[in-house]
Amino acid sequence: MNETLTLLHAHRSIRKFTDQALADGQLERIIGAGQCAATSSFLQGATIIRVSKPESRQKLATYAGNQPYVANAAEFLVFCADLRRAGNCCEQYEKPFSGDYTEHFIIATVDAALLAQNIVVAAESEGLGICYIGGLRNNPREVSDLLQLPQGVYPVFGLCLGYPDQNPEVKPRLPLEVILKQETYNDEGDAALIESYDEKIREYYRTRTGGGHGICWSEQVASLLSEKARPHMRGFLAEQGFHFK
Amino acid sequence: MNETLTLLHAHRSIRKFTDQALADGQLERIIGAGQCAATSSFLQGATIIRVSKPESRQKLATYAGNQPYVANAAEFLVFCADLRRAGNCCEQYEKPFSGDYTEHFIIATVDAALLAQNIVVAAESEGLGICYIGGLRNNPREVSDLLQLPQGVYPVFGLCLGYPDQNPEVKPRLPLEVILKQETYNDEGDAALIESYDEKIREYYRTRTGGGHGICWSEQVASLLSEKARPHMRGFLAEQGFHFK
C-alpha cells in the first residue's frame, strides 16, 4: 500500500483539538490543493466561508446542536453550494438565469462535497484532524443569516480542522461486497454480511466507550431513517432559490 | 509541498486510456481505501456498481451522451446514492421508513460524492487516470433500468478509471480569494479577479486546442446556467422514491 492509501485508511473524525494554530499560509495551501478536485461542467459551484471570530464560532457551535469543537477547532470552514457566482456570469452576458432545477442543486452540492473531501485529504496529509459538521443543517436559516449567504447559496456542511488531541480508533466500514456490486444492483447476499459487520460495530462501540451502548450499525441506521429528517430543509432551500424544478 | 499535495495538484480528467487492465485486486484496494471517507451519521449511503460487460458499457456510453471512454476505460463505476440499504434496516427493526425528505437526498448524495472523491485520490496515487461522468444523468431512467436500481437508489455519476493514454494540462481553478471568504459571503472584489482568470482560461483553451474556441470561464458558465438543466431529473427521482419532502 502506498503512502496515500495508508493515509486514507487512517481517517477518523477528530472532535478534540489542541490549541495549536495552523502555520501561516497552511490553510491556503491545503485549500489550494483541494481546489484541484474535479468540478461538474467546470462550474466550480462551491464557496467556502472561513469563520474565525469567536462569537460567530460560538453561534455556529450552538446552531449545529451544541458541538463544542465547532467553536474550539483551530479552523472552521462552511462549505456552500453556490449558484450565485454562475448567476453573476449570466447577468454579465445578458442571459437568463435558470438555476432552479433539481439538476443544479445536485451539481452544486456534489461540487461542494468533492472540494471538501479533497481538502480533507490535503489536511490529513499535513497531520491535521477533521470533523464534518452536517449539524449546520439543523439551523440553516440562522447559519445563512450569520454568514450573509445570498440567494443561490446554501450551507451544505461545516468542517472542523486542527491538530488532534485524541486518537480514536478507525471505525470499520461495511464489507466491500456490500457497497460494490457487479453489473447490476443485487443485495441478495448482503444480510449475512451485514450481520457479521453489525457484530464488529457492537464490539467497536464496546471497546471505544469502555462497555458503552453496544448498538450495531443496522439499528443505528433504522433509528436514523425512521425519524423525520430536518423537515425544514425544503422550505429553507426554496427561500435560498433552490426550487427543485 | 508533501507528496499527497503534489498528487492533488496534478489532477486532470483523462478521456483516453491505454488497454492496460488493472492488476488483480487493485480496484478492490482502491475502493477499500476510498471507503474510509467520512459518511454522514455513519449511514454509508452509497453503493457502487462496477460495469464490465462490453454491451452494458456501450449502452452507458450512449446514455451519457456518446462518451466513448465510458466504453473504453479499463473500469467504469456508477456511484449511486442508496437509501434502500437503510430501508432494509428499518424493516429488520420494524420501524417505519421515512427516506423521502430533502435531507435524506442530501445525505446520500453527499455520501456518494465523498466516497467517489476519496476513491479518485486513491486511484490517482496508483498512477491511474479518471473522469467523472455526470452525463449519466442525461438518461437516468435507462441507466437505472440497465443496472436494475431499486427504489431508494439513484445514479449520481459515473467514473472512468484506467491508465492514461494522454497527458492533458492541468486546468486552472478560480483564484483562491474567489472561493474562500472570510467570516461572511462577500463577493465585492470578485469581478476583477474573475476577469483575469477568464483571460487565463482563454489562454488555456487556445494552447490546448491549438488555436481553438478561446471561450472563457464566465461565458461557459453563463451558457450552462441559462439553459434548462436535465428537467427530467425531478420526475425520475420521484419514481425512485426521492420526494424532497
Side-chain angles (χ1 to χ4, degrees):
Chain A
M1 232 195 286
N2 69 33
E3 247 181 62
T4 304
L5 264 62
T6 305
L7 176 74
L8 298 181
H9 272 285
H11 167 75
R12 63 273 191 277
S13 291
I14 296 297
R15 296 187 173 82
K16 194 160 180 264
F17 299 93
T18 69
D19 291 338
Q20 192 182 340
L22 272 64
D24 271 358
Q26 188 176 8
L27 186 70
E28 291 74 11
R29 182 172 64 233
I30 286 167
I31 295 179
Q35 219 194 332
C36 303
T39 156
S40 184
S41 304
F42 199 34
L43 176 67
Q44 307 183 69
T47 293
I48 301 167
I49 318 279
R50 178 195 185 198
V51 182
S52 305
K53 282 187 194 157
E55 59 275 27
S56 299
R57 293 281 287 273
Q58 191 50 59
K59 281 183 186 166
L60 290 174
T62 308
Y63 297 155
N66 298 312
Q67 302 197 56
Y69 29 98
V70 171
N72 303 336
E75 296 286 347
F76 187 71
L77 306 176
V78 180
F79 284 81
C80 302
D82 184 345
L83 295 173
R84 173 187 162 94
R85 197 155 49 226
N88 292 343
C89 295
C90 289
E91 215 168 279
Q92 189 186 337
Y93 287 89
E94 299 180 351
K95 297 203 172 198
F97 175 64
S98 72
D100 45 9
Y101 285 88
T102 304
E103 171 66 13
H104 293 128
F105 181 81
I106 296 173
I107 289 181
T109 302
V110 167
D111 262 14
L114 299 184
L115 173 63
Q117 187 55 29
N118 234 28
I119 287 173
V120 163
V121 173
E124 292 184 339
S125 82
E126 298 207 358
L128 294 166
I130 68 97
C131 185
Y132 280 97
I133 307 292
L136 289 187
R137 297 194 304 273
N138 286 345
N139 293 289
R141 167 54 49 221
E142 288 75 3
V143 170
S144 302
D145 287 350
L146 179 69
L147 307 182
Q148 300 174 28
L149 302 186
Q151 284 276 308
V153 180
Y154 90 93
V156 189
F157 45 68
L159 188 74
C160 297
L161 286 146
Y163 286 96
D165 195 21
Q166 61 178 181
N167 190 16
E169 258 185 272
V170 170
K171 207 167 176 180
R173 295 296 190 249
L174 282 167
L176 194 68
E177 302 89 319
V178 172
I179 68 133
L180 175 62
K181 304 296 179 193
Q182 311 293 328
E183 306 298 341
T184 56
Y185 191 105
N186 179 347
D187 58 3
E188 262 175 44
D190 287 2
L193 291 166
I194 290 176
E195 204 180 312
S196 45
Y197 175 68
D198 272 341
E199 210 34 68
K200 211 165 160 185
I201 291 298
R202 259 199 206 95
E203 193 54 34
Y204 164 85
Y205 282 122
R206 262 191 221 111
T207 326
R208 202 185 63 149
T209 58
H213 60 50
I215 195 176
C216 70
W217 178 78
S218 300
E219 202 177 343
Q220 268 187 69
V221 168
S223 292
L224 183 72
L225 264 290
S226 60
E227 281 159 26
K228 278 191 188 181
R230 298 178 177 134
H232 54 267
M233 280 305 288
R234 182 73 165 85
F236 159 73
L237 287 166
E239 285 169 19
Q240 291 301 105
F242 296 92
H243 292 293
F244 299 95
K245 267 201 338 202
Chain B
M1 229 193 290
N2 69 34
E3 246 182 62
T4 303
L5 264 62
T6 305
L7 177 74
L8 299 181
H9 272 284
H11 167 76
R12 64 273 192 275
S13 291
I14 296 297
R15 295 188 175 82
K16 194 161 180 265
F17 299 94
T18 70
D19 291 338
Q20 192 182 340
L22 271 65
D24 270 359
Q26 189 177 6
L27 186 70
E28 291 74 11
R29 181 172 65 235
I30 286 167
I31 296 179
Q35 219 194 334
C36 303
T39 157
S40 184
S41 303
F42 199 34
L43 176 66
Q44 307 183 69
T47 292
I48 301 168
I49 319 279
R50 177 196 186 198
V51 183
S52 304
K53 283 187 191 155
E55 60 275 25
S56 299
R57 291 282 286 275
Q58 192 49 61
K59 282 183 185 166
L60 290 174
T62 307
Y63 297 155
N66 298 313
Q67 302 195 56
Y69 28 98
V70 171
N72 303 335
E75 296 286 348
F76 188 71
L77 306 176
V78 180
F79 284 81
C80 302
D82 185 344
L83 294 173
R84 173 187 162 95
R85 197 155 49 225
N88 292 343
C89 295
C90 289
E91 214 168 281
Q92 188 186 341
Y93 286 90
E94 299 180 349
K95 296 203 173 198
F97 174 63
S98 73
D100 45 8
Y101 285 88
T102 304
E103 170 66 12
H104 292 127
F105 181 81
I106 296 172
I107 289 180
T109 302
V110 167
D111 261 16
L114 300 183
L115 173 63
Q117 186 54 29
N118 234 29
I119 287 173
V120 163
V121 173
E124 292 184 337
S125 81
E126 297 207 357
L128 294 166
I130 68 99
C131 185
Y132 279 97
I133 307 292
L136 290 187
R137 297 193 305 273
N138 287 345
N139 292 289
R141 167 54 50 220
E142 288 76 2
V143 170
S144 302
D145 287 350
L146 179 70
L147 307 182
Q148 300 174 27
L149 302 186
Q151 285 277 307
V153 180
Y154 91 93
V156 188
F157 45 69
L159 188 74
C160 297
L161 286 147
Y163 286 95
D165 195 21
Q166 62 178 180
N167 191 15
E169 258 185 90
V170 170
K171 207 166 176 179
R173 296 295 190 252
L174 282 166
L176 194 69
E177 302 89 319
V178 172
I179 68 135
L180 176 61
K181 304 296 180 194
Q182 310 293 329
E183 305 299 339
T184 56
Y185 193 104
N186 179 348
D187 58 4
E188 263 175 43
D190 287 1
L193 290 165
I194 290 176
E195 205 180 312
S196 46
Y197 175 66
D198 273 341
E199 212 33 69
K200 211 166 160 184
I201 291 298
R202 259 199 208 94
E203 193 51 34
Y204 164 84
Y205 281 123
R206 263 191 221 113
T207 326
R208 203 185 63 146
T209 59
H213 62 46
I215 195 176
C216 70
W217 178 79
S218 299
E219 204 177 340
Q220 267 186 70
V221 168
S223 292
L224 184 73
L225 263 290
S226 60
E227 281 160 24
K228 279 191 187 179
R230 298 180 177 133
H232 53 268
M233 280 305 288
R234 183 73 164 86
F236 159 73
L237 287 166
E239 284 169 20
Q240 292 301 106
F242 296 92
H243 292 293
F244 298 95
K245 267 201 338 204

